[in-house]
Amino acid sequence: MTRFVLNGETVEARGVSPSMTMLDFVREKRGLTGTKEGCAEGDCGACTVVRVRRNGAVEAVNACLMQIGQADGEEILTVEGLEKLNGGAPVPVQQAMAEGDGTQCGFCTPGFVGALFALGQTGEAIDDETIHDALAGNLCRCTGYRPIVEAARAACRQPVTFMPATPSTAAPVQDGGGTVFHSPATLSDLIQIRAAHPDAMLIAGGTDLGLSVSKERKRPPVVISTANVAELRRIEETEDAVTFGAAVTYTEALPLIAQNWPSFARLIRRIGSRQIRNLGTIGGNVGNASPIGDTPPCLIALGATLTLAGPGGTRELATEDFFLDYRKTALRDGEVIRSIHIPKLKGGESFRVYKVSKRYDQDISAVVGAFRISRSNGSVASARIAFGGMAATPKRAAAAEAALGGADWTEDAFAAAGARTGEDFSPIDDHRATAGYRGKVAANIFLRLFRDLDGASEPLEVVQV
């Protein structure tokens, strides 16, 4: 049985699969039809609901990607529940949207309201950049965004004070509708459960694997969530490195990433909207082992290492050695990713990452190139380079590294190194880009890199087509 609070009332979802999406549950089981399905893959934001986590954080999430088992022990607010927080009256965001003509057909409006309500609870400075970031995961086809942004300016500075009604405990095992949902609290329990169910769906945020539930309508017999494992939720910073537990969300990791690797932070903001970042994790992006995953090239270029944990104990592995072949990793039976250890930049080092995609926000990459470069006495002292989208796995550009390391700090030297990527990769044609296009883009990124590092006032750390 799954147990959580929905709009202030405790819900016990008996006989319902804990892998059912929150979107399907609130609409079909509770009749809360304000939450809409637009895309069922976390792009449009029509399904946005507000999640109150056990630690009190108020976040917008995509209900189409969130399984109800992930909400066990937490609180969910749909658009119908917001007025309960304000004595039966619309909350300021709802009032501002109505008075400022921020809604027309109304299909997308509940999602916008959910996203902006959550923004108003974060305590952030409400400027246009923050507003647009908060709205990047919501699409409107009627009004345009001006009145919606104006509603955010007017209302998001007015947080609503309320006492979350979150249950104090969560069930380690939920069962119903033919699915068993495990939510262990310790690493030892996680390893034991994983060893017993090697074919189970293992999720942290589920923003990718969740598509098999939301779009393909599959009901996995066993789901294992890592989201509540204490050891996987830790963030540790030292003078030389930052270590993120594999279940730390993008949102939770972003402040330290922005502080130490600003270009990496800009990439993460493009990977997905706040709704996605509030669920998704770097550990999940690595474990998914997609050749077009955005974070692995960054981790490889930065020299990050993974700590893997399993029945035989823990071991360290360079990120570049984790990916063996297409969707094949070095994980042994029963192993999970425990943490990601990222060294900080040293004196003289710079880091840049470039994402090329058809759409700026929330689009799958055609090519991602990541570079850690050091400069000394007019030459390239060292170069560590990795690409995604260019091979069956994210991997280093060995020939390009060899050409650039020790070369003069000139545009011609960077261009020559870029030309060597053809020796490192044999990309494929697909619907995102042709092999020829990928090869040209990868080579040209070296020119952008040089121009950014050689004195651009505003480094162009991300690009698009």
Side-chain angles (χ1 to χ4, degrees):
M1 179 190 72
T2 303
R3 184 174 182 267
F4 60 97
V5 172
L6 179 61
N7 294 338
E9 300 178 4
T10 299
V11 171
E12 295 183 348
R14 299 179 184 274
V16 176
S17 170
S19 68
M20 174 180 277
T21 67
M22 185 61 68
L23 172 63
D24 287 346
F25 182 82
V26 298
R27 288 182 60 85
E28 298 175 9
K29 302 299 181 181
R30 306 298 292 187
L32 300 169
T33 55
T35 307
K36 303 293 196 295
E37 178 180 311
C39 67
E41 57 186 30
D43 279 343
C44 73
C47 71
T48 300
V49 297
V50 178
R51 175 194 194 186
V52 184
R53 302 191 66 167
R54 298 175 200 177
N55 63 4
V58 180
E59 301 174 337
V61 296
N62 294 119
C64 70
L65 296 179
M66 185 181 192
Q67 299 176 27
I68 63 170
Q70 293 174 266
D72 191 67
E74 298 185 338
E75 181 171 10
I76 297 295
L77 295 166
T78 69
V79 68
E80 294 91 345
L82 294 180
E83 65 180 19
K84 295 182 180 180
L85 307 179
N86 201 32
V91 295
V93 165
Q94 291 172 307
Q95 193 70 32
M97 286 279 283
E99 293 176 353
D101 296 323
T103 180
Q104 191 165 348
C105 83
F107 188 90
C108 69
T109 303
F112 275 96
V113 168
L116 292 179
F117 176 84
L119 172 62
Q121 301 301 117
T122 65
E124 296 173 83
I126 306 301
D127 53 29
D128 281 4
E129 181 179 359
T130 303
I131 291 169
H132 288 298
D133 180 67
L135 295 179
N138 294 78
L139 302 180
C140 173
R141 298 302 188 199
C142 297
T143 70
Y145 294 92
R146 180 187 56 78
I148 299 172
V149 171
E150 290 176 349
R153 293 190 191 117
C156 289
R157 296 183 177 91
Q158 307 174 53
V160 176
T161 302
F162 71 102
M163 182 63 68
T166 307
S168 58
T169 59
V173 182
Q174 304 162 56
D175 193 354
T179 298
V180 178
F181 192 104
H182 294 273
S183 187
T186 67
L187 180 59
S188 60
D189 286 345
L190 171 62
I191 292 170
Q192 182 178 0
I193 294 167
R194 183 59 171 165
H197 302 283
D199 297 324
M201 175 185 284
L202 183 70
I203 62 171
T207 54
D208 188 20
L209 293 180
L211 294 177
S212 67
V213 175
S214 64
K215 292 188 77 75
E216 299 174 25
R217 297 306 198 188
K218 293 182 178 178
R219 284 285 178 264
V222 181
V223 178
I224 305 172
S225 170
T226 66
N228 297 316
V229 177
E231 294 91 333
L232 274 60
R233 298 280 304 137
R234 296 173 183 161
I235 300 176
E236 299 175 356
E237 183 181 17
T238 66
E239 184 178 344
D240 300 321
V242 182
T243 301
F244 297 106
V248 171
T249 67
Y250 288 118
T251 296
E252 293 164 336
L254 200 50
L256 278 175
I257 291 177
Q259 178 181 323
N260 290 285
W261 312 280
S263 185
F264 194 1
R266 290 183 178 90
L267 174 76
I268 287 176
R269 293 188 183 99
R270 287 184 60 190
I271 287 175
S273 63
R274 289 191 176 204
Q275 291 94 319
I276 295 292
R277 302 196 304 259
N278 289 335
L279 284 174
T281 67
I282 297 176
N285 200 228
V286 172
N288 193 31
S290 170
I292 51 175
D294 285 347
T295 64
C298 297
L299 300 175
I300 293 172
L302 287 168
T305 57
L306 307 176
T307 298
L308 310 179
T314 62
R315 61 189 178 106
E316 308 295 321
L317 190 68
T319 305
E320 63 199 271
D321 296 330
F322 180 76
F323 306 101
L324 303 181
D325 204 342
Y326 179 75
R327 299 280 189 175
K328 183 179 180 181
T329 73
L331 283 172
R332 297 169 181 166
D333 291 344
E335 278 191 332
V336 297
I337 302 172
R338 175 174 178 163
S339 61
I340 303 101
H341 179 84
I342 311 177
K344 294 181 179 179
L345 298 177
K346 298 177 182 178
E349 289 186 332
S350 299
F351 177 76
R352 294 290 189 273
V353 56
Y354 303 84
K355 174 185 172 84
V356 180
S357 56
K358 292 182 178 180
R359 186 178 67 210
Y360 185 85
D361 285 316
Q362 300 184 83
D363 198 7
I364 295 174
S365 300
V367 176
V368 171
F371 304 81
R372 191 182 77 191
I373 305 291
S374 64
R375 180 178 184 175
S376 177
N377 298 321
S379 65
V380 181
S382 65
R384 189 177 173 94
I385 304 165
F387 277 88
M390 296 287 288
T393 66
K395 59 177 287 192
R396 288 176 69 176
E401 287 182 356
L404 196 55
D408 290 339
W409 191 274
T410 65
E411 184 168 310
D412 287 344
F414 277 71
R420 297 285 300 274
T421 55
E423 302 172 32
D424 292 313
F425 304 103
S426 298
I428 64 170
D429 292 320
D430 62 19
H431 64 281
R432 296 183 186 92
T434 65
Y437 177 81
R438 284 186 163 102
K440 290 179 181 178
V441 164
N444 287 339
I445 284 176
F446 284 76
L447 297 178
R448 176 62 60 85
L449 172 68
F450 174 81
R451 293 168 187 175
D452 283 353
L453 296 180
D454 203 48
S457 57
E458 290 291 332
L460 301 174
E461 288 147 336
V462 289
V463 294
Q464 78 214 57
V465 293

